[in-house]
Amino acid sequence: MTQTIQRPDSGVATVRRPNRVRLLWLIAVLGLLAVLAVTSLVVGSRDVSFDDLLAGLRGSMDNLSQAAVVKRIPRTILAVIVGAALGLSGAVMQGVTRNPLADPSILGVNMGASLAVVTGIAWFGLSTATGYLWAAIAGAAVTAVFVYTIGSLGRGGATPLKLALAGAATSAALVSFITAVALPRGDISANIRSWQIGGVGGASFDSIQPMLPFFVVGCAISLMSARGLNSLALGDDLAASLGERVAVARAFAAVGAVLLCGAATAVAGPIGFVGLVVPHFCRLLVGVDQRWLLPFSALTGACLLVFADVIGRIIARPAELDVGILTALIGAPFFIAIVRRQKVRAL
Amino acid sequence: MTAGTVFVKPSSTLDLVVRGRAQRASRRRLVMGILAASIVVVFAVSLMVGQTLYSPADVMGVLLGRDVSGATFTIGRLRLPRAVLAVVAGLSFGLAGVTFQTMLRNALASPDIIGISAGASAAASFAIVTLSLSGAAVSIFAIVAGLGVALAIYALSYKGGAAGTRLILVGIGIAAMLESVTNYILSRAGQWELQEALRWLTGSLNGTTWPQVLTALIALVVFGPMLLSRAGLLGAMQLGDDTAGALGVRVERTRIIVIFSAVGLIAFATAAAGPIAFVAFLSGPIASRLIGPNGSVLLPASLVGALLVLVADFCGQYAFGTRFPVGVVTGVLGAPYLIYLIVRTNRAGGSL
């Protein structure tokens, strides 16, 4: 009964990877991230020459190109941080729920954070970045607990179908609450809309800074929970018999995931599907060992978000396409592919 | 059901069965009668009450085509089309929603959650914002997109037969994608178009005109009987595809006809009134709670839908300080019930 969920990539060949292969992939992913970060600094409505890039990185703002580079530094950093947070939080959520479809946006956790922030703006005059952060994290935590609880009621525990439906239904409910809160307040609706669409475009060092402590703590908790998640993957009974305190391990990991996802949502608005796509992709590269999977998910998540940001700047020139829209367009077909690959029985 | 009466004379078993049936049928008739009566009452009230109050005689006069000063415009042009559209859209949403829930055997699998409304919404916002269309053209976009999305969901979840669970999950994925498309379109919208699109997206009966009402009504007249006549087949399909096939239901064919009709209803009603949140979703479970296990739930659900939209629109207009569009009212009222329903469905493992 506890083994109703089968990881899509748990074929014998992919479970174990030699550490040499993993190290090679690690170097490759780090290299890719560096290339993408430089691209993100160079590409935009104004392309920048190499000399101007170097000058801009040193802080010089002598001409427009160098000023553009200086302007793009914080948004690149924010894309890296938010991508890493979302990728890592998705990987942890998939581990905690042992569910291949878990993701902050599918479980409605993003929307919970949104409702908390919107309510804060509308009713409690919330306007500081730190205020947004606490509200978003509280909203994310409440929603995560709620969705997981109602999704795991009844026969078979938290099956992917029940969790996904509970998440989708809760999101739908939260969206109508958001509309009801925001609609009568014409004066702040522009404020709320710009936050909801969010993205990484308007980043500055001032907006990144309050998020950093949450990001660091969330990362630390998530990475420390890797061993516990490895035990949980064996099933609750086996994990308990191996000496793992199942409930504690699960709660500890979930705290990390919620911190990361809430902080990312508070700064960049709801961005979907990064947490879904990235861990699946990483499992192909490094196998299912969480001690490797979690850091890889963080790095790959950062790559994906920087990539989406760059693409958004290229295809909609001179305007920009919000990253959240692009990640959903990339992620939803991926979601459908996972659903199609799963055995119906497992769903 | 008859287990306790095995040792009794056969004739009395028959009596029990017959009496039970009669009781259930009479309860069904009673509930449906009450629903229909409430619809008529709320309909009448929403014609009479408003900024100015009109007497029943005035309302009757306008309905019969007499010229009543003032009332002819207020009732005939403003309140009547609005109330009629509320009823028509409610009937359509209720009927189509419960059809999906019955067919997929899951109360949460209503068109608003599995992506059909999202498809219609994305197409409509594209038509309003990017192409600057209005009126009937927007409706056509919404209808075509609704059908197309339903087709895509069906095709993507088809893999040696379309399993209900896969259909739901694929629908959730498609919905997420289409919502991001809608967001993208809205983020590029000008102020005026944004207002127009947002009004449409929340689901609103403001400024209803007769042509809108007429298209939705025609769709209801065409597709409604098609669905109602297949209520029995749907009931058989609730037993599972294999059992239904063994009972002589042509499962795939029935499913395609039913999906087509239900999507048609949803798309036309959405085109006229916007995706009024949760009506398609709530009507079925409420109706099945009201009538109990007594025959098909299609018609009662449809009546519940009409009542919901009428009441919510009336409340949205006059009950609060601000005038809320009907979609916001149904959304906020529906959310707690939705959550209760998830809890209940998951715990019991039941279908409706």
Side-chain angles (χ1 to χ4, degrees):
Chain A
M1 193 185 91
T2 48
Q3 281 295 352
T4 46
I5 302 151
Q6 207 183 8
R7 285 189 194 290
D9 310 311
S10 65
V12 179
T14 55
V15 172
R16 281 182 161 274
R17 296 270 189 213
N19 280 349
R20 195 163 43 83
V21 175
R22 287 168 168 165
L23 268 177
L24 276 179
W25 278 121
L26 186 65
I27 294 167
V29 173
L30 279 173
L32 180 66
L33 184 56
V35 170
L36 283 170
V38 172
T39 319
S40 162
L41 294 177
V42 171
V43 175
S45 55
R46 170 182 292 272
D47 286 342
V48 177
S49 75
F50 190 67
D51 292 340
D52 285 335
L53 172 66
L54 287 183
L57 281 177
R58 280 197 299 272
S60 149
M61 289 175 63
D62 291 341
N63 57 31
L64 267 178
S65 298
Q66 291 171 10
V69 170
V70 172
K71 200 86 180 104
R72 286 175 197 157
I73 292 173
R75 92 180 273 173
T76 306
I77 293 176
L78 183 64
V80 169
I81 292 178
V82 169
L86 289 174
L88 186 52
S89 119
V92 173
M93 280 190 192
Q94 290 181 8
V96 169
T97 58
R98 299 208 303 135
N99 184 330
L101 298 182
D103 166 79
S105 63
I106 291 170
L107 295 188
V109 177
N110 275 342
M111 278 303 151
S114 300
L115 177 62
V117 172
V118 170
T119 315
I121 295 176
W123 291 353
F124 303 108
L126 207 62
S127 58
T128 62
T130 325
Y132 285 5
L133 273 165
W134 282 112
I137 288 168
V142 171
T143 318
V145 170
F146 179 76
V147 170
Y148 187 72
T149 312
I150 57 176
S152 57
L153 288 173
R155 221 161 4 118
T159 63
L161 176 71
K162 284 203 286 185
L163 267 186
L165 268 179
T170 310
S171 296
L174 292 170
V175 167
S176 47
F177 278 123
I178 293 176
T179 319
V181 170
L183 201 73
R185 301 289 306 271
D187 48 330
I188 54 161
S189 69
N191 205 344
I192 291 174
R193 270 201 74 72
S194 74
W195 177 80
Q196 260 185 330
I197 291 178
V200 296
S204 68
F205 283 114
D206 291 339
S207 70
I208 297 176
Q209 205 213 344
M211 179 210 178
L212 279 178
F214 294 93
F215 176 69
V216 171
V217 172
C219 273
I221 293 181
S222 300
L223 292 176
M224 279 194 288
S225 68
R227 284 184 62 89
L229 289 179
N230 267 343
S231 315
L232 284 180
L234 301 170
D236 287 5
D237 297 342
L238 200 48
S241 69
L242 286 175
E244 188 69 54
R245 281 177 296 174
V246 174
V248 175
R250 192 166 267 153
F252 185 68
V255 167
V258 165
L259 270 180
L260 288 173
C261 158
T265 308
V267 180
I271 295 176
F273 287 103
V274 176
L276 176 83
V277 176
V278 163
H280 281 284
F281 180 69
C282 291
R283 249 175 240 128
L284 290 177
L285 298 185
V286 298
V288 297
D289 185 348
Q290 303 277 358
R291 287 170 300 177
W292 283 87
L293 183 62
L294 295 185
F296 252 87
S297 295
L299 285 177
T300 318
C303 287
L304 178 62
L305 210 64
V306 177
F307 176 71
D309 185 33
V310 172
I311 292 292
R313 273 182 267 166
I314 291 176
I315 60 175
R317 274 191 211 196
E320 294 182 355
L321 199 55
D322 174 46
V323 276
I325 290 161
L326 269 171
T327 56
L329 288 180
I330 300 170
F334 195 88
F335 176 87
I336 292 166
I338 298 171
V339 170
R340 279 179 63 83
R341 236 170 85 177
Q342 294 279 315
K343 291 198 192 76
V344 182
R345 190 164 41 81
L347 294 177
Chain B
M1 202 181 297
T2 54
T5 57
V6 174
F7 300 111
V8 192
K9 277 184 296 178
S11 61
S12 73
T13 310
L14 192 66
D15 278 353
L16 271 178
V17 171
V18 167
R19 207 181 315 138
R21 267 197 193 157
Q23 270 173 2
R24 289 199 297 274
S26 79
R27 172 169 173 193
R28 185 181 156 86
R29 274 197 301 275
L30 181 72
V31 169
M32 282 171 58
I34 292 175
L35 281 174
S38 328
I39 291 177
V40 171
V41 169
V42 179
F43 187 84
V45 168
S46 67
L47 289 186
M48 287 188 292
V49 179
Q51 297 291 346
T52 36
L53 212 65
Y54 291 104
S55 69
D58 287 346
V59 173
M60 277 315 291
V62 174
L63 289 183
L64 294 175
R66 276 200 300 271
D67 207 18
V68 186
S69 69
T72 301
F73 177 76
T74 317
I75 297 178
R77 283 288 189 75
L78 300 180
R79 291 185 196 166
L80 192 58
R82 183 181 187 121
V84 173
L85 183 60
V87 172
V88 171
L91 288 172
S92 306
F93 281 131
L95 185 56
V98 78
T99 306
F100 270 99
Q101 290 166 327
T102 316
M103 188 178 62
L104 298 176
R105 292 191 288 158
N106 194 320
L108 301 175
S110 83
D112 11 14
I113 291 177
I114 64 168
I116 293 162
S117 307
S121 303
S125 46
F126 178 73
I128 294 173
V129 172
T130 313
L131 305 180
S132 309
L133 299 176
S134 61
V138 175
S139 307
I140 292 170
F141 255 84
I143 292 157
V144 172
L147 284 171
V149 166
L151 206 67
I153 294 173
Y154 192 79
L156 280 171
S157 57
Y158 195 92
K159 193 177 168 192
T165 48
R166 215 186 292 130
L167 201 111
I168 298 169
L169 285 173
V170 168
I172 291 178
I174 297 263
M177 199 161 139
L178 290 169
E179 269 154 28
S180 81
V181 172
T182 310
N183 274 337
Y184 168 64
I185 295 168
L186 290 186
S187 72
R188 309 184 61 117
Q191 197 57 41
W192 163 250
E193 285 137 357
L194 183 68
Q195 287 299 330
E196 178 68 17
L198 278 180
R199 186 196 73 85
W200 195 91
L201 285 176
T202 31
S204 164
L205 301 171
N206 290 344
T208 305
T209 56
W210 279 116
Q212 283 175 307
V213 180
L214 210 61
T215 40
L217 189 63
I218 292 171
L220 182 64
V221 170
V222 172
F223 293 122
M226 255 161 96
L227 282 178
L228 289 176
S229 66
R230 280 174 178 74
L233 298 183
L234 269 176
M237 279 172 73
Q238 262 190 308
L239 303 171
D241 287 0
D242 297 341
T243 317
L247 286 173
V249 180
R250 277 187 267 186
V251 175
E252 285 304 320
R253 208 180 88 168
T254 311
R255 185 142 51 198
I256 286 174
I257 295 176
V258 162
I259 289 183
F260 183 80
S261 323
V263 170
L265 277 180
I266 284 284
F268 276 93
T270 308
I276 303 178
F278 290 151
V279 174
F281 172 80
L282 287 175
S283 309
I286 293 179
S288 76
R289 205 69 19 91
L290 284 178
I291 63 161
N294 307 322
S296 162
V297 81
L298 292 190
L299 197 57
S302 179
L303 294 176
V304 169
L307 191 59
L308 271 178
V309 177
L310 265 176
V311 171
D313 185 44
F314 191 73
C315 292
Q317 281 191 84
Y318 306 115
F320 311 103
T322 333
R323 283 197 165 201
F324 283 106
V326 57
V328 173
V329 180
T330 55
V332 171
L333 291 182
Y337 190 76
L338 162 68
I339 285 156
Y340 159 75
L341 201 72
I342 305 172
V343 172
R344 199 182 154 281
T345 313
N346 279 354
R347 191 175 281 156
S351 61
L352 252 182

